[in-house]
Amino acid sequence: MAISLFPLKRSAVLLALLVLNACGGGGSTGSSNTNPAAGAPTGATFGATGAAAVDTQAVQPTGNTATDGLNWFNYRRGLLGIPALARTATIDTAAQGHSGYEQLNDTLTHVQSAGRAGFTGEMLQDRLTAANYRFTARSYAYGEVLSSTTDQSGFNAAEDLIAAIYHRFVIFEPMFRQAGAGSAVSSSGRSYFTVDFAANGLTPALGRGNFLVYPADGQKSIPPGFFSDFETPDPVPDRNQVGYPISLHADITSTVTVTSFTVRPRNGALMQTRLLVHASDAETPLSAAALIPLDVLAAGTTYDVQFAGTVDDVPASRAWSFTTR
């Protein structure tokens, strides 16, 4: 994921890749020695299949991977109190075109190569322009998340992307207002799922000094772990199986600083963690922060989180808890 700022026109670009095998990336068991940057992993078994099923009564499946995935993102955003993404036909065209390109070339990438089958535009903004989407505001933002998996469930694909922290920064960006989704299955049986996001004008969603957290306070059935190696970029380069990421998100125009950020099992000791902030991790936006436990979380356990810092130079703190499945 990357953020770019330009003079006079503040434009944010958020991009992230996720390569998954059949069952997704949110489970607590399984192993793989495959480098996702080199291609799709094989031979891994995850515990995330059915992770979305816990809440499927809230979102009814349509059987269409793209529709179900985008609906799941909106469901999770709704639980956090941030605006739903309005599905937009022109952005749909860009996302579907990119999934088609990946299907035809059996590759997972944010960058298309001219001359290859299904080419619709080199970069995301090129593909949005080709699909007749236009940014009319002086300030705007756009982003993209991608996944490749042999599981064609849109719910599972979306939940796996939320578990992947750099993807979560994009998906839960409060100021995104529009989105489009696409999916296509290659001859090798891999489902390529694409969601493109846009904010045509950076209108505050949370406002100065405000932020949201995920998992949310009191949220249950959180997966115990995540396989870091299946996300590109890799948020924990020195290990694969880690605990489920914990994050906080402000408006993309905000700046988050962290004084302290901790997690512990209820009545237990503080866990060892990796802190993701922009100052030490360029892939983390200025408007967010994350804490990744270095050990997989225990099943059926409540975890207490504490954060202190600033958002837009406004002192901020919060204590909350969540429970694993």
Side-chain angles (χ1 to χ4, degrees):
M1 188 202 66
I3 295 178
S4 301
L5 303 179
F6 301 95
L8 300 180
K9 181 184 291 182
R10 179 167 182 160
S11 176
V13 185
L14 301 93
L15 306 171
L17 288 169
L18 187 63
V19 184
L20 299 171
N21 202 29
C23 300
S28 61
T29 61
S31 63
S32 172
N33 58 6
T34 304
N35 180 355
T42 59
T45 301
F46 294 81
T49 292
V54 174
D55 296 318
T56 50
Q57 295 304 309
V59 185
Q60 295 300 310
T62 67
N64 180 282
T65 302
T67 296
D68 288 347
L70 185 54
N71 286 348
W72 194 262
F73 286 163
N74 274 334
Y75 168 60
R76 288 294 191 210
R77 285 173 66 97
L79 291 179
L80 296 177
I82 49 179
L85 301 160
R87 192 165 189 179
T88 304
T90 49
I91 306 179
D92 262 352
T93 298
Q96 184 58 51
H98 190 62
S99 284
Y101 173 90
E102 292 179 310
Q103 172 204 35
L104 291 169
N105 296 285
D106 220 358
T107 185
L108 185 69
T109 179
H110 285 293
V111 183
Q112 295 186 18
S113 298
R116 298 193 70 178
F119 177 80
T120 57
E122 181 181 9
M123 306 302 293
L124 172 56
Q125 191 166 18
D126 299 325
R127 298 191 291 272
L128 289 170
T129 299
N132 293 316
Y133 182 88
R134 298 290 184 268
F135 290 103
T136 57
R138 183 177 180 181
S139 60
Y140 57 86
Y142 54 91
E144 180 172 80
V145 296
L146 310 172
S147 71
S148 171
T149 172
T150 54
D151 181 355
Q152 295 181 35
S153 165
F155 289 170
N156 287 338
E159 191 72 1
D160 289 334
L161 286 163
I162 290 169
I165 188 58
Y166 292 137
H167 294 69
R168 190 189 303 171
F169 290 147
V170 183
I171 296 160
F172 288 162
E173 166 49 51
M175 294 176 75
F176 281 141
R177 294 292 198 277
Q178 297 174 300
S183 64
V185 180
S186 72
S187 58
S188 68
R190 300 200 71 82
S191 177
Y192 291 97
F193 175 54
T194 302
V195 180
D196 294 335
F197 305 79
N200 193 5
L202 299 184
T203 303
L206 302 181
R208 184 174 183 270
N210 297 315
F211 64 99
L212 58 88
V213 299
Y214 194 85
D217 188 23
Q219 191 168 344
K220 300 184 185 302
S221 298
I222 298 301
F226 171 68
F227 290 99
S228 171
D229 288 358
F230 295 129
E231 183 169 20
T232 302
D234 185 343
V236 190
D238 60 344
R239 64 180 66 198
N240 183 18
Q241 195 172 8
V242 294
Y244 193 81
I246 304 160
S247 57
L248 61 94
H249 311 253
D251 287 338
I252 200 170
T253 51
S254 295
T255 298
V256 170
T257 63
V258 176
T259 302
S260 65
F261 199 174
T262 63
V263 60
R264 69 175 79 206
R266 179 69 51 86
N267 300 320
L270 292 177
M271 298 188 69
Q272 289 190 313
T273 58
R274 174 175 170 82
L275 175 66
L276 300 181
V277 293
H278 184 73
S280 57
D281 177 46
E283 305 299 337
T284 300
L286 282 165
S287 58
L291 195 68
I292 304 179
L294 296 183
D295 293 318
V296 174
L297 306 180
T301 301
T302 297
Y303 285 83
D304 296 319
V305 186
Q306 288 191 316
F307 162 77
T310 66
V311 178
D312 301 319
D313 295 322
V314 177
S317 63
R318 187 167 302 178
W320 74 99
S321 64
F322 62 88
T323 302
T324 55
R325 65 168 189 257

